[in-house]
Amino acid sequence: MVSFFSKTSDMMTTKQRWTALIVLAASLFVVMMDMTILIMALPDLVRDLNPTSTEQLWIVDIYSLILASFNIPMTALADKLVHSIPVRICPKVIIDRPNRDGCCIF
């Protein structure tokens, strides 16, 4: 069985390609949104910390580098957690009988 991560573009269906594009675009959107927040907060940081122009450049560059580098490990962690939650919860929802309000009691 071929892993999803080892597929080449020739082996992926159109739906898988679009899904990969959407996931990558969403993660890039999060990074860019955080960078926008940092740029908006930079004047306050400069006023409070009094960094030089080189230090300001380092603040922006290092923040984006660290934020982008956490994207892949956090996505892998979320993928493992999201796939394990239904495995633990769904059998309880299916097996447990609803109480009188119609809600399942765990």
XYZ file of all heavy atoms in Angstrom:
833
model
N 0.845 -1.183 0.000
C 0.000 0.000 0.000
C 0.884 1.238 0.000
O 1.828 1.346 0.768
C -0.904 -0.019 1.221
C -1.842 1.125 1.263
S -2.981 0.890 2.629
C -3.656 2.503 2.690
N 0.566 2.183 -0.826
C 1.349 3.402 -0.956
C 0.817 4.436 0.025
O -0.382 4.652 0.128
C 1.275 3.938 -2.398
C 2.040 5.233 -2.528
C 1.796 2.902 -3.368
N 1.716 5.058 0.765
C 1.325 6.101 1.693
C 0.869 7.339 0.930
O 1.325 7.603 -0.183
C 2.500 6.452 2.602
O 2.210 7.600 3.360
N -0.012 8.111 1.536
C -0.481 9.358 0.917
C 0.676 10.314 0.691
O 0.709 11.037 -0.287
C -1.541 10.017 1.799
C -2.017 11.340 1.259
C -2.906 11.377 0.202
C -1.566 12.522 1.795
C -3.341 12.579 -0.308
C -1.993 13.731 1.291
C -2.899 13.761 0.239
N 1.643 10.320 1.605
C 2.742 11.266 1.524
C 3.787 10.859 0.493
O 4.609 11.673 0.117
C 3.393 11.436 2.895
C 2.443 12.015 3.901
C 1.943 11.237 4.922
C 2.037 13.326 3.802
C 1.063 11.774 5.843
C 1.156 13.869 4.704
C 0.666 13.088 5.725
N 3.775 9.617 0.038
C 4.767 9.190 -0.940
C 4.212 9.175 -2.362
O 4.890 8.748 -3.274
C 5.299 7.810 -0.581
O 4.267 6.856 -0.686
N 2.988 9.637 -2.539
C 2.399 9.645 -3.876
C 2.975 10.791 -4.695
O 3.196 11.881 -4.202
C 0.885 9.812 -3.786
C 0.171 8.610 -3.255
C -1.319 8.814 -3.312
C -2.045 7.568 -2.857
N -3.489 7.743 -2.912
N 3.192 10.514 -5.952
C 3.586 11.578 -6.863
C 2.325 12.171 -7.481
O 1.231 11.646 -7.320
C 4.500 11.032 -7.967
O 3.780 10.073 -8.720
C 5.752 10.405 -7.386
N 2.489 13.260 -8.202
C 1.313 13.902 -8.792
C 0.653 13.015 -9.835
O -0.536 13.149 -10.103
C 1.699 15.252 -9.390
O 2.641 15.069 -10.417
N 1.413 12.100 -10.438
C 0.825 11.188 -11.420
C -0.079 10.152 -10.757
O -1.000 9.649 -11.376
C 1.922 10.458 -12.194
C 2.784 11.417 -12.997
O 2.281 12.508 -13.352
O 3.949 11.081 -13.258
N 0.190 9.838 -9.491
C -0.571 8.815 -8.789
C -1.785 9.379 -8.064
O -2.631 8.629 -7.595
C 0.328 8.107 -7.771
C 1.508 7.391 -8.403
S 2.682 6.811 -7.186
C 1.727 5.650 -6.271
N -1.882 10.689 -7.967
C -2.971 11.313 -7.219
C -4.153 11.601 -8.137
O -3.983 11.991 -9.286
C -2.490 12.614 -6.565
C -1.417 12.409 -5.531
S -0.759 13.952 -4.891
C -2.124 14.550 -3.949
N -5.352 11.431 -7.579
C -6.548 11.785 -8.337
C -6.713 13.302 -8.299
O -6.034 14.004 -7.543
C -7.790 11.119 -7.727
O -7.984 11.638 -6.413
C -7.642 9.606 -7.685
N -7.610 13.802 -9.101
C -7.865 15.242 -9.136
C -8.365 15.736 -7.783
O -7.966 16.807 -7.309
C -8.894 15.568 -10.232
O -8.404 15.065 -11.477
C -9.127 17.053 -10.348
N -9.207 14.952 -7.137
C -9.727 15.340 -5.817
C -8.592 15.419 -4.796
O -8.545 16.339 -3.976
C -10.790 14.342 -5.361
C -11.421 14.697 -4.048
C -12.493 13.705 -3.649
C -13.088 14.102 -2.319
N -14.101 13.150 -1.873
N -7.674 14.464 -4.833
C -6.545 14.485 -3.906
C -5.635 15.676 -4.173
O -5.107 16.278 -3.242
C -5.749 13.189 -4.010
C -6.458 11.987 -3.436
C -5.703 10.701 -3.691
O -5.013 10.569 -4.694
N -5.847 9.752 -2.776
N -5.454 16.030 -5.419
C -4.636 17.201 -5.748
C -5.262 18.473 -5.212
O -4.581 19.315 -4.641
C -4.449 17.307 -7.256
C -3.534 16.277 -7.838
C -3.394 16.478 -9.313
N -2.670 15.373 -9.914
C -2.435 15.266 -11.199
N -2.873 16.180 -12.019
N -1.770 14.242 -11.660
N -6.568 18.618 -5.410
C -7.248 19.806 -4.905
C -7.227 19.838 -3.379
O -7.075 20.897 -2.772
C -8.678 19.874 -5.431
C -8.754 20.456 -6.802
C -8.951 19.785 -7.968
C -8.604 21.828 -7.158
N -8.931 20.651 -9.023
C -8.728 21.924 -8.554
C -8.375 22.985 -6.421
C -8.633 23.130 -9.227
C -8.290 24.188 -7.104
C -8.409 24.253 -8.490
N -7.391 18.680 -2.756
C -7.347 18.624 -1.298
C -5.970 19.042 -0.787
O -5.867 19.819 0.165
C -7.679 17.201 -0.805
O -8.962 16.835 -1.301
C -7.668 17.124 0.702
N -4.923 18.544 -1.419
C -3.564 18.935 -1.027
C -3.347 20.422 -1.218
O -2.755 21.092 -0.366
C -2.537 18.129 -1.825
N -3.835 20.956 -2.322
C -3.698 22.391 -2.576
C -4.435 23.214 -1.532
O -3.906 24.210 -1.025
C -4.218 22.726 -3.978
C -4.171 24.205 -4.359
C -2.726 24.681 -4.420
C -4.884 24.426 -5.668
N -5.623 22.795 -1.159
C -6.410 23.527 -0.157
C -5.731 23.468 1.201
O -5.662 24.478 1.914
C -7.846 22.971 -0.098
C -8.584 23.367 -1.383
C -8.588 23.467 1.128
C -9.908 22.683 -1.568
N -5.206 22.307 1.579
C -4.515 22.183 2.870
C -3.270 23.068 2.904
O -3.023 23.781 3.890
C -4.156 20.707 3.147
C -3.201 20.576 4.316
C -5.421 19.905 3.407
N -2.489 23.053 1.840
C -1.294 23.892 1.789
C -1.651 25.373 1.777
O -0.993 26.180 2.447
C -0.453 23.535 0.569
C 0.206 22.164 0.610
C 0.835 21.846 -0.739
C 1.228 22.088 1.717
N -2.686 25.739 1.045
C -3.105 27.135 1.008
C -3.633 27.589 2.366
O -3.377 28.728 2.793
C -4.162 27.341 -0.067
N -4.352 26.716 3.061
C -4.867 27.079 4.383
C -3.736 27.280 5.380
O -3.771 28.223 6.189
C -5.830 26.000 4.878
N -2.729 26.424 5.335
C -1.616 26.600 6.262
C -0.824 27.862 5.932
O -0.371 28.572 6.833
C -0.697 25.377 6.252
O -0.107 25.224 4.982
N -0.678 28.169 4.664
C -0.012 29.409 4.277
C -0.827 30.624 4.706
O -0.278 31.638 5.138
C 0.222 29.436 2.767
C 0.967 30.654 2.227
C 2.364 30.719 2.842
C 1.044 30.607 0.729
N -2.157 30.516 4.627
C -3.029 31.600 5.077
C -2.844 31.870 6.567
O -2.800 33.029 6.992
C -4.488 31.261 4.772
C -5.458 32.272 5.291
C -5.606 33.487 4.658
C -6.223 32.002 6.419
C -6.504 34.434 5.132
C -7.115 32.932 6.906
C -7.261 34.150 6.249
N -2.720 30.810 7.359
C -2.513 30.984 8.805
C -1.192 31.688 9.074
O -1.123 32.611 9.902
C -2.573 29.617 9.524
C -2.138 29.732 10.960
C -3.962 29.032 9.436
N -0.134 31.286 8.379
C 1.168 31.922 8.560
C 1.095 33.398 8.163
O 1.593 34.275 8.873
C 2.262 31.183 7.761
C 3.559 31.956 7.757
C 2.477 29.787 8.324
N 0.473 33.688 7.031
C 0.379 35.074 6.574
C -0.485 35.919 7.509
O -0.197 37.094 7.732
C -0.172 35.126 5.147
C 0.763 34.512 4.129
S 2.454 35.162 4.193
C 2.193 36.853 3.792
N -1.537 35.335 8.064
C -2.375 36.067 9.013
C -1.577 36.396 10.274
O -1.649 37.521 10.784
C -3.619 35.251 9.360
C -4.599 36.009 10.211
S -5.254 37.442 9.381
C -6.571 36.704 8.494
N -0.803 35.447 10.759
C 0.033 35.713 11.926
C 1.105 36.748 11.625
O 1.425 37.578 12.476
C 0.678 34.421 12.428
C -0.277 33.577 13.239
O -1.301 34.121 13.697
O -0.009 32.387 13.426
N 1.640 36.711 10.423
C 2.637 37.722 10.052
C 2.007 39.108 9.981
O 2.625 40.104 10.359
C 3.287 37.366 8.711
C 4.205 36.175 8.797
S 5.477 36.328 10.057
C 6.330 37.777 9.523
N 0.769 39.181 9.514
C 0.066 40.459 9.491
C -0.127 40.988 10.901
O 0.056 42.184 11.166
C -1.297 40.298 8.786
O -1.078 39.792 7.479
C -2.039 41.612 8.720
N -0.462 40.105 11.815
C -0.624 40.507 13.221
C 0.699 41.014 13.778
O 0.739 42.032 14.481
C -1.177 39.328 14.051
C -2.610 39.009 13.611
C -1.120 39.624 15.541
C -3.140 37.706 14.139
N 1.786 40.333 13.456
C 3.101 40.779 13.929
C 3.459 42.141 13.352
O 3.953 43.011 14.076
C 4.179 39.754 13.560
C 5.609 40.158 13.935
C 5.768 40.271 15.438
C 6.599 39.189 13.348
N 3.202 42.350 12.082
C 3.509 43.633 11.457
C 2.684 44.746 12.102
O 3.181 45.862 12.321
C 3.266 43.566 9.932
C 4.217 42.591 9.280
C 3.361 44.936 9.292
C 5.689 42.937 9.437
N 1.435 44.459 12.439
C 0.597 45.471 13.089
C 1.072 45.750 14.520
O 0.918 46.862 15.015
C -0.865 45.017 13.109
C -1.458 44.843 11.725
S -1.363 46.299 10.710
C -2.591 47.311 11.437
N 1.644 44.747 15.171
C 2.123 44.923 16.548
C 3.547 45.445 16.615
O 4.017 45.824 17.688
C 2.036 43.591 17.293
N 4.240 45.478 15.493
C 5.644 45.889 15.489
C 5.879 47.298 16.032
O 6.836 47.494 16.791
C 6.231 45.730 14.089
C 7.745 45.756 13.986
C 8.371 44.656 14.840
C 8.188 45.610 12.542
N 5.055 48.291 15.722
C 5.290 49.614 16.321
C 5.258 49.606 17.848
O 6.070 50.273 18.500
C 4.168 50.473 15.747
C 3.801 49.818 14.473
C 3.999 48.351 14.715
N 4.338 48.826 18.423
C 4.297 48.726 19.891
C 5.528 48.001 20.424
O 6.060 48.356 21.483
C 3.034 47.995 20.343
C 1.776 48.815 20.094
O 1.885 50.066 20.067
O 0.708 48.204 19.928
N 5.970 46.962 19.713
C 7.188 46.260 20.121
C 8.399 47.183 20.060
O 9.258 47.159 20.955
C 7.427 45.041 19.234
C 6.469 43.856 19.389
C 6.707 42.830 18.303
C 6.620 43.233 20.750
N 8.468 47.987 19.019
C 9.588 48.921 18.882
C 9.556 49.955 20.003
O 10.595 50.291 20.590
C 9.547 49.601 17.488
C 10.527 50.760 17.418
C 9.836 48.588 16.406
N 8.389 50.437 20.315
C 8.265 51.424 21.386
C 8.650 50.826 22.750
O 9.303 51.475 23.558
C 6.830 51.974 21.423
C 6.659 53.136 22.356
C 5.284 53.798 22.286
N 4.167 52.846 22.316
C 3.362 52.600 21.281
N 3.547 53.213 20.133
N 2.379 51.739 21.397
N 8.269 49.580 22.997
C 8.550 48.960 24.297
C 9.978 48.431 24.409
O 10.598 48.533 25.467
C 7.574 47.807 24.559
C 6.147 48.295 24.759
O 5.957 49.500 25.026
O 5.226 47.462 24.626
N 10.506 47.834 23.330
C 11.807 47.157 23.409
C 12.974 47.981 22.866
O 14.129 47.630 23.114
C 11.739 45.824 22.653
C 10.692 44.816 23.146
C 10.662 43.609 22.238
C 10.964 44.424 24.579
N 12.684 49.009 22.075
C 13.714 49.847 21.444
C 14.756 49.039 20.662
O 15.959 49.240 20.838
C 14.422 50.717 22.488
C 13.481 51.664 23.172
O 12.595 52.216 22.533
N 13.655 51.844 24.467
N 14.324 48.146 19.758
C 15.311 47.394 18.964
C 15.845 48.255 17.819
O 15.199 49.209 17.370
C 14.502 46.224 18.429
C 13.117 46.751 18.316
C 12.966 47.735 19.456
N 17.013 47.892 17.342
C 17.570 48.549 16.164
C 16.836 48.024 14.926
O 16.027 47.084 15.020
C 19.073 48.252 16.028
O 19.240 46.852 15.804
C 19.829 48.691 17.267
N 17.118 48.599 13.777
C 16.440 48.140 12.553
C 16.821 46.698 12.213
O 16.001 45.930 11.716
C 16.771 49.065 11.392
O 18.157 49.083 11.155
N 18.058 46.324 12.494
C 18.483 44.942 12.261
C 17.750 43.989 13.199
O 17.315 42.903 12.775
C 20.004 44.807 12.468
O 20.661 45.764 11.649
C 20.489 43.412 12.132
N 17.581 44.379 14.440
C 16.843 43.536 15.389
C 15.367 43.438 15.015
O 14.756 42.368 15.185
C 16.999 44.089 16.802
C 18.399 43.947 17.354
C 18.607 44.699 18.656
O 17.848 45.641 18.944
O 19.540 44.327 19.389
N 14.796 44.496 14.480
C 13.414 44.433 14.006
C 13.289 43.433 12.860
O 12.329 42.648 12.816
C 12.945 45.808 13.532
C 12.769 46.818 14.621
C 12.394 48.167 14.052
O 11.630 48.250 13.100
N 12.933 49.219 14.635
N 14.241 43.469 11.967
C 14.243 42.516 10.854
C 14.357 41.087 11.372
O 13.670 40.181 10.883
C 15.394 42.837 9.898
C 15.473 42.015 8.629
C 14.248 42.244 7.771
C 16.727 42.370 7.864
N 15.208 40.866 12.376
C 15.345 39.539 12.978
C 14.038 39.106 13.634
O 13.653 37.933 13.552
C 16.474 39.539 14.004
C 17.771 39.131 13.405
C 18.758 39.954 12.951
C 18.216 37.802 13.172
N 19.790 39.220 12.444
C 19.486 37.889 12.566
C 17.664 36.543 13.398
C 20.213 36.770 12.205
C 18.397 35.431 13.032
C 19.651 35.554 12.445
N 13.352 40.021 14.303
C 12.080 39.685 14.951
C 11.093 39.150 13.915
O 10.479 38.098 14.102
C 11.498 40.909 15.686
C 12.322 41.232 16.927
C 10.048 40.657 16.091
C 11.960 42.560 17.575
N 10.965 39.856 12.819
C 10.011 39.457 11.776
C 10.448 38.154 11.106
O 9.639 37.241 10.908
C 9.848 40.587 10.745
C 9.016 40.134 9.568
C 9.230 41.809 11.400
N 11.729 38.049 10.770
C 12.211 36.858 10.056
C 12.164 35.601 10.912
O 11.720 34.546 10.456
C 13.633 37.079 9.554
C 13.688 38.069 8.402
O 12.626 38.333 7.805
O 14.780 38.575 8.108
N 12.617 35.700 12.134
C 12.642 34.522 13.004
C 11.232 34.080 13.362
O 10.935 32.883 13.411
C 13.487 34.800 14.274
C 14.939 34.988 13.895
C 13.331 33.701 15.303
C 15.562 33.788 13.205
N 10.331 35.036 13.583
C 8.949 34.687 13.901
C 8.323 33.898 12.760
O 7.699 32.855 12.981
C 8.133 35.953 14.180
C 6.716 35.677 14.597
C 6.427 35.279 15.889
C 5.664 35.798 13.696
C 5.124 35.024 16.280
C 4.370 35.544 14.071
C 4.103 35.163 15.361
O 2.814 34.908 15.735
N 8.509 34.357 11.537
C 7.924 33.642 10.396
C 8.587 32.287 10.195
O 7.920 31.305 9.850
C 8.024 34.482 9.127
O 9.372 34.703 8.797
N 9.900 32.204 10.407
C 10.602 30.938 10.247
C 10.122 29.900 11.260
O 9.831 28.750 10.909
C 12.110 31.148 10.395
C 12.979 29.907 10.281
C 12.946 29.386 8.852
C 14.389 30.211 10.710
N 10.010 30.306 12.504
C 9.561 29.374 13.546
C 8.105 28.988 13.334
O 7.726 27.819 13.462
C 9.798 29.982 14.940
C 11.297 30.033 15.209
C 9.078 29.192 16.017
C 11.686 30.732 16.475
N 7.280 29.962 12.995
C 5.870 29.676 12.772
C 5.684 28.707 11.604
O 4.910 27.751 11.696
C 5.120 30.986 12.494
C 3.617 30.918 12.444
C 3.077 30.506 13.802
C 3.059 32.260 12.055
N 6.390 28.922 10.528
C 6.279 28.039 9.374
C 6.866 26.655 9.663
O 6.356 25.647 9.185
C 6.971 28.659 8.171
N 7.934 26.608 10.474
C 8.539 25.307 10.762
C 7.670 24.456 11.681
O 7.787 23.231 11.670
C 9.922 25.490 11.376
O 9.822 26.076 12.652
N 6.800 25.073 12.468
C 5.880 24.309 13.316
C 4.674 23.798 12.547
O 3.906 22.994 13.064
C 5.396 25.143 14.508
C 6.362 25.168 15.651
C 6.688 26.358 16.256
C 6.940 24.008 16.122
C 7.580 26.393 17.309
C 7.828 24.025 17.171
C 8.146 25.228 17.770
N 4.489 24.257 11.327
C 3.329 23.851 10.544
C 3.270 22.347 10.319
O 2.233 21.724 10.550
C 3.362 24.553 9.191
C 2.179 25.439 8.985
O 1.242 25.408 9.755
N 2.232 26.223 7.941
N 4.341 21.753 9.869
C 4.331 20.327 9.539
C 4.205 19.440 10.779
O 3.342 18.560 10.817
C 5.569 19.959 8.696
C 5.467 20.654 7.342
C 5.696 18.455 8.528
C 6.677 20.516 6.480
N 5.010 19.650 11.848
C 4.835 18.779 13.016
C 3.470 18.928 13.687
O 2.876 17.938 14.105
C 5.943 19.203 13.977
C 6.878 20.032 13.203
C 6.170 20.522 12.006
N 2.947 20.141 13.749
C 1.638 20.333 14.377
C 0.528 19.742 13.519
O -0.457 19.217 14.052
C 1.376 21.819 14.625
C 2.256 22.431 15.689
S 2.065 21.608 17.280
C 3.705 20.987 17.543
N 0.682 19.784 12.213
C -0.296 19.153 11.334
C -0.271 17.643 11.518
O -1.324 16.998 11.573
C -0.007 19.516 9.870
O -0.009 20.930 9.742
C -1.027 18.921 8.942
N 0.911 17.063 11.626
C 1.019 15.618 11.849
C 0.416 15.231 13.203
O -0.286 14.223 13.311
C 2.479 15.189 11.773
N 0.672 16.042 14.219
C 0.099 15.773 15.537
C -1.423 15.878 15.504
O -2.124 15.015 16.037
C 0.680 16.753 16.569
C 0.162 16.614 17.995
C 0.565 15.260 18.577
C 0.677 17.740 18.851
N -1.934 16.913 14.867
C -3.383 17.067 14.765
C -4.003 15.921 13.981
O -5.094 15.449 14.321
C -3.715 18.398 14.108
N -3.303 15.466 12.951
C -3.800 14.354 12.157
C -3.927 13.101 13.015
O -4.920 12.384 12.943
C -2.865 14.119 10.980
C -3.436 13.138 9.979
O -4.650 13.198 9.738
O -2.663 12.327 9.441
N -2.941 12.844 13.858
C -3.005 11.665 14.730
C -4.101 11.809 15.778
O -4.820 10.860 16.070
C -1.664 11.449 15.419
C -0.608 10.963 14.472
C 0.684 10.719 15.179
C 1.733 10.407 14.136
N 2.545 9.304 14.442
N -4.256 12.999 16.345
C -5.281 13.202 17.369
C -6.681 13.145 16.781
O -7.579 12.553 17.367
C -5.065 14.545 18.072
C -3.829 14.649 18.950
C -3.698 16.044 19.519
C -3.872 13.624 20.068
N -6.879 13.761 15.637
C -8.209 13.788 15.031
C -8.639 12.387 14.630
O -9.802 12.030 14.772
C -8.223 14.743 13.820
C -9.476 14.575 12.994
C -8.109 16.175 14.302
N -7.705 11.575 14.156
C -8.072 10.222 13.759
C -8.275 9.302 14.959
O -8.971 8.313 14.849
C -7.019 9.627 12.820
C -7.054 10.243 11.465
N -8.135 10.131 10.631
C -6.158 11.005 10.796
C -7.905 10.774 9.515
N -6.705 11.319 9.588
N -7.695 9.625 16.097
C -7.869 8.757 17.260
C -9.134 9.095 18.034
O -9.695 8.236 18.695
C -6.662 8.848 18.184
O -6.587 10.119 18.790
N -9.607 10.326 17.955
C -10.800 10.713 18.710
C -12.046 9.957 18.230
O -12.758 9.394 19.051
C -10.999 12.245 18.661
C -9.931 12.908 19.519
C -12.388 12.639 19.145
C -9.889 14.414 19.399
N -12.322 9.913 16.924
C -13.502 9.145 16.507
C -13.413 7.669 16.858
O -14.427 7.041 17.139
C -13.545 9.333 14.993
C -12.798 10.575 14.745
C -11.741 10.627 15.812
N -12.218 7.122 16.876
C -12.060 5.713 17.213
C -12.461 5.464 18.664
O -13.031 4.434 18.998
C -10.593 5.263 16.960
C -10.330 3.884 17.507
C -10.291 5.332 15.481
N -12.214 6.443 19.539
C -12.568 6.278 20.943
C -14.009 6.666 21.232
O -14.649 6.070 22.077
C -11.635 7.117 21.816
C -10.242 6.550 21.898
C -9.383 7.373 22.784
N -9.002 8.567 22.012
C -8.500 9.655 22.533
N -8.339 9.748 23.816
N -8.163 10.662 21.781
N -14.541 7.670 20.529
C -15.858 8.203 20.870
C -16.977 7.499 20.119
O -18.023 7.201 20.692
C -15.895 9.720 20.616
C -14.981 10.418 21.618
C -17.300 10.265 20.721
C -14.870 11.903 21.412
N -16.798 7.207 18.846
C -17.891 6.663 18.035
C -18.466 5.359 18.574
O -19.686 5.210 18.592
C -17.456 6.500 16.586
S -17.330 8.084 15.745
N -17.657 4.417 19.025
C -18.287 3.208 19.582
C -19.173 3.507 20.780
O -20.224 2.883 20.937
C -17.094 2.339 19.983
C -15.985 2.788 19.108
C -16.219 4.255 18.909
N -18.786 4.476 21.606
C -19.624 4.816 22.751
C -20.928 5.452 22.310
O -21.972 5.205 22.883
C -18.870 5.760 23.692
C -17.686 5.122 24.350
C -17.133 6.035 25.392
C -17.249 5.299 26.668
N -17.128 5.878 27.882
N -20.876 6.287 21.291
C -22.089 6.941 20.803
C -23.027 5.915 20.198
O -24.233 5.966 20.391
C -21.739 8.038 19.769
C -22.987 8.570 19.101
C -20.958 9.152 20.429
N -22.466 4.951 19.486
C -23.295 3.941 18.830
C -23.845 2.946 19.846
O -25.014 2.558 19.792
C -22.481 3.214 17.742
C -22.148 4.204 16.623
C -23.231 2.019 17.199
C -21.140 3.687 15.631
N -23.039 2.544 20.814
C -23.433 1.494 21.749
C -24.331 2.026 22.865
O -25.335 1.405 23.221
C -22.180 0.809 22.337
C -21.458 0.047 21.231
C -22.553 -0.126 23.478
C -20.109 -0.483 21.633
N -23.974 3.172 23.433
C -24.758 3.721 24.543
C -26.155 4.119 24.070
O -26.327 4.666 22.997
C -24.065 4.949 25.150
C -22.797 4.558 25.891
O -22.595 3.363 26.142
O -22.015 5.466 26.210
N -27.107 3.848 24.919
C -28.472 4.229 24.578
C -28.699 5.677 24.987
O -28.191 6.137 26.004
C -29.463 3.341 25.310
C -29.415 1.926 24.831
C -30.477 1.130 25.483
N -30.437 -0.221 24.942
C -31.128 -1.206 25.426
N -31.920 -1.017 26.456
N -31.051 -2.386 24.885
N -29.497 6.388 24.216
C -29.772 7.770 24.599
C -30.601 7.830 25.874
O -31.420 6.955 26.146
C -30.568 8.325 23.424
C -30.538 7.290 22.361
C -30.072 6.014 22.966
N -30.374 8.876 26.665
C -31.212 9.065 27.854
C -32.538 9.659 27.408
O -32.826 9.798 26.223
C -30.487 9.938 28.883
C -30.194 11.329 28.370
O -30.696 11.741 27.325
N -29.414 12.064 29.110
N -33.378 10.063 28.338
C -34.735 10.527 27.975
C -34.716 11.815 27.159
O -35.673 12.125 26.490
C -35.568 10.680 29.228
C -35.016 11.712 30.171
C -35.807 11.803 31.416
N -34.953 12.492 32.386
C -35.257 12.686 33.607
N -36.401 12.246 34.068
N -34.442 13.304 34.407
N -33.610 12.596 27.215
C -33.522 13.822 26.405
C -33.034 13.517 24.991
O -32.973 14.430 24.172
C -32.558 14.822 27.055
C -33.035 15.255 28.423
O -34.282 15.292 28.629
O -32.186 15.559 29.273
N -32.662 12.301 24.717
C -32.161 11.953 23.400
C -30.662 12.082 23.272
O -30.125 11.943 22.192
N -29.967 12.398 24.372
C -28.517 12.568 24.326
C -27.862 11.304 24.862
O -28.359 10.661 25.773
C -28.074 13.751 25.171
S -28.762 15.302 24.604
N -26.724 10.972 24.279
C -25.960 9.827 24.774
C -25.183 10.241 26.019
O -24.645 11.336 26.088
C -24.992 9.326 23.723
S -25.830 8.572 22.317
N -25.132 9.360 26.990
C -24.382 9.609 28.224
C -23.091 8.824 28.133
O -23.084 7.626 27.901
C -25.174 9.162 29.460
C -26.493 9.905 29.514
C -24.358 9.366 30.724
C -27.418 9.393 30.581
N -21.982 9.513 28.317
C -20.688 8.838 28.221
C -20.290 8.313 29.541
O -20.067 8.693 30.512
C -19.639 9.797 27.658
C -19.889 10.079 26.213
C -20.663 11.140 25.828
C -19.380 9.270 25.238
C -20.909 11.421 24.511
C -19.604 9.534 23.913
C -20.389 10.607 23.545
